[in-house]
Amino acid sequence: MIIGIGIDLVQVSRFENQLTKAPALRERLFTPAERELNIRSLAARFAAKEAVAKALSAPAGMNWQHCQITVDAAGAPHVVLTGTVADIAAAKGVRRWHLSLSHDGDWATAMVVGED
């Protein structure tokens, strides 16, 4: 059963400007492994994290580093939750995530489905 869905769209150039203006934002939003990625990948991961938050009904107190977007050996993206975000997802009954990322020009998008 679907518990929640979320989608988000990020303009890569605007996101890059925000990270340049507020360098601490990169550390607040991303895990150390994610911080090393190029700007298009960071924008897509931010879109994915926003989509996860939307699928969970935008919970207060969400720690962005407790939602990590990884890829497997074949390059497929995955949602990995820990801490506060894992607790919220478990309380809502989400046991499995489906994630799709896409890039086109200056845009990055993500869609997630959380199911039991």
Side-chain angles (χ1 to χ4, degrees), residues 14-104:
R14 182 171 177 237
F15 186 69
E16 184 173 30
N17 287 340
Q18 290 299 318
L19 291 180
T20 300
K21 288 179 186 176
L25 192 58
R26 185 182 298 252
E27 279 132 31
R28 186 167 65 92
L29 296 175
F30 300 106
T31 64
E34 291 172 321
R35 289 179 207 146
E36 303 302 317
L37 300 170
N38 67 55
I39 191 63
R40 288 184 67 202
S41 292
L42 281 179
R45 278 161 177 75
F46 179 70
K49 292 177 185 218
E50 281 281 333
V52 167
K54 291 172 182 176
L56 295 173
S57 303
M62 181 174 151
N63 182 325
W64 291 99
Q65 290 195 31
H66 292 172
C67 178
Q68 183 174 8
I69 309 304
T70 64
V71 293
D72 64 19
H78 295 277
V79 175
V80 178
L81 303 181
T82 59
T84 60
V85 184
D87 293 344
I88 294 163
K92 291 187 175 278
V94 178
R95 296 172 30 151
R96 186 171 178 207
W97 290 96
H98 305 274
L99 169 61
S100 179
L101 302 176
S102 185
H103 307 85
D104 188 18

